[in-house]
Amino acid sequence: MPRRTLPVLVLIGLLQLLAGGAFADSPFRNWGATVIAGDWKGSGGGPTEAFDNARRDISAELVRLGFESGKILQYSVRPERYGKERLAKSDIRAIFEGMNQLMAQNPEGCLVYLTTHGTPQGAVVDQSILPPGILAAILDRTCGARPTVAVISACFSGVFVPDLGAANRMVLTAARPDRTSFGCGESNRYPFFDECFLQSTSSAQDFAALANQVRTCVAAREIREGVRPPSEPQVFIGPQIRPLLPLYAFPARSPP
């Protein structure tokens, strides 16, 4: 989709709001989402459920936020371990092909969430490294000019910001390009960043507010655990998507 079509999408969204249609159902109803667990080994080399726990529960939280479950693709390095979930195998080409089909049917927005280990060269996806330039090319080909939110939960994930930072995108990463993130050990339920993402959605109004709350949560958790140096999650919000984010408001969580 050419980038010049984004103003048209903005106009359509505003007209829907003025008409009252967007209040009747979720603003994410025509978004496609892809959630990827890129590894299954912990920081000590043994098996961990941290990445797949995050993949599963973040997908469920996206449904609570208003994404349709049938429009969320989930990928795991060990899909056979979670047979009832009907997952696809985490593979860079398979992810591209799946996103290409998904986004052809969902014209209004795109979300990608990757949780895995990271290196200064990119993010681990099974036995491969996904470099920032390749992920940027995948988003160009699949998400195109749609408003796009990309979340990379991995060590050194700030390396993705320069390549992914287009005008129509918001990018949130778990660490600076020269820092590790924490919480991906064998006994962790989630990486720290993913846990903070899940904890913060209930009180955030939209993705911009969520990013700030996640950063605050991660900093507090790292101080509490005594880990250093701080990971310092990074946020980029492009000038075209910035005024749209309040239109994609999160629903309030129902009281227990």
Side-chain angles (χ1 to χ4, degrees):
M1 182 184 296
R3 293 186 185 276
R4 64 178 178 273
T5 63
L6 185 60
V8 176
L9 293 176
V10 174
L11 178 59
I12 291 172
L14 290 172
L15 289 174
Q16 288 176 333
L17 281 173
L18 291 173
F23 292 102
D25 46 15
S26 169
F28 300 110
R29 66 194 180 283
N30 289 320
W31 279 54
T34 302
V35 185
I36 306 153
D39 207 344
W40 62 273
K41 294 179 181 178
S43 54
T48 183
E49 294 292 325
F51 301 122
D52 274 295
N53 285 342
R55 181 262 315 151
R56 179 196 63 229
D57 292 347
I58 286 165
S59 296
E61 185 63 8
L62 291 178
V63 172
R64 189 193 70 81
L65 294 179
F67 288 77
E68 294 187 12
S69 60
K71 298 178 179 180
I72 300 175
L73 300 179
Q74 295 188 54
Y75 292 86
S76 172
V77 177
R78 300 187 294 175
E80 68 284 350
R81 185 176 178 85
Y82 314 98
K84 293 182 180 179
E85 298 183 50
R86 298 181 180 179
L87 307 175
K89 170 76 171 179
S90 292
D91 171 84
I92 295 173
R93 178 172 290 277
I95 291 166
F96 166 69
E97 292 174 351
M99 288 181 61
N100 203 34
Q101 295 178 15
L102 176 71
M103 297 315 304
Q105 302 171 20
N106 294 282
E108 292 185 7
C110 180
L111 182 142
V112 177
Y113 196 115
L114 171 61
T115 177
T116 187
H117 291 296
T119 75
Q121 291 72 45
V124 174
V125 177
D126 196 13
Q127 301 298 313
S128 301
I129 297 294
L130 175 61
I134 296 299
L135 181 56
I138 290 173
L139 296 186
D140 286 343
R141 292 282 301 276
T142 59
C143 302
R146 298 169 181 82
T148 298
V149 176
V151 184
I152 315 296
S153 174
C155 294
F156 311 107
S157 47
V159 299
F160 283 88
V161 173
D163 286 273
L164 300 189
N168 64 309
R169 294 181 191 148
M170 173 180 167
V171 183
L172 174 60
T173 73
R176 279 174 26 173
D178 60 341
R179 296 281 175 88
T180 62
S181 53
F182 300 97
C184 53
E186 286 77 359
S187 62
N188 288 105
R189 183 178 181 186
Y190 309 113
F192 290 0
F193 177 89
D194 297 332
E195 185 168 15
C196 283
F197 187 97
L198 287 164
Q199 290 177 357
S200 300
T201 52
S202 61
S203 56
Q205 293 80 30
D206 57 29
F207 280 112
L210 175 63
N212 290 330
Q213 291 189 29
V214 169
R215 295 175 77 184
T216 299
C217 174
V218 168
R221 177 69 183 275
E222 290 175 351
I223 291 171
R224 189 163 66 248
E225 298 289 339
V227 294
R228 295 186 60 84
S231 56
E232 297 187 14
Q234 301 292 293
V235 182
F236 169 89
I237 302 177
Q240 290 179 347
I241 194 173
R242 183 178 294 276
L244 291 180
L245 291 176
L247 303 181
Y248 301 113
F250 297 167
R253 185 183 290 273
S254 300

